[in-house]
Amino acid sequence: MPAEPVTTKQDCPYLDTAFVQDTVGQQTPTVTTTGVPGGPPPGCTFAKPNGEPALTVEITQAADGVAARTAAVERVAGIGGTAVTDIADGGGSPSAPARPCSPSPTARSSSW
């Protein structure tokens, strides 16, 4: 019988909580790792104050860099990813063109 995954409230070994909070723009007071003891590396979940996931880290092991990149692109294929045939071959997922940001009504400019 395979071992069951275990979820533990602890820091993620791959990402610093402060970095995640700065990146997602909100507090993530609860961080958990989930994995099978003695198994592959665990995944991490950074939860918002209301308990919903703000960011999830999934770990996939691959034989080499090309396989790793292909697995990553396949994971996001639902948004139009393309296959990777070699490292730095340009495979990836499309992004929307950048839109200029409008300053907020309270923004002030200053000269340095």
Side-chain angles (χ1 to χ4, degrees):
M1 178 179 217
E4 292 292 318
V6 175
T7 298
T8 306
K9 191 173 177 179
Q10 65 181 34
D11 289 336
C12 182
Y14 322 111
L15 282 176
D16 180 66
T17 301
F19 174 80
V20 171
Q21 292 177 158
D22 288 345
T23 302
V24 300
Q26 59 185 289
Q27 295 294 308
T28 56
T30 305
V31 181
T32 58
T33 62
T34 302
V36 175
C44 303
T45 301
F46 294 81
K48 301 176 192 178
N50 67 2
E52 293 178 9
L55 183 135
T56 300
V57 177
E58 296 176 356
I59 304 300
T60 302
Q61 294 177 309
D64 57 37
V66 172
R69 285 182 165 200
T70 299
V73 170
E74 287 174 353
R75 180 70 176 98
V76 297
I79 58 171
T82 58
V84 175
T85 56
D86 197 6
I87 292 178
D89 78 344
S93 57
S95 60
R99 295 186 330 201
C101 295
S102 300
S104 68
T106 59
R108 296 183 188 142
S109 62
S110 63
S111 300
W112 293 94

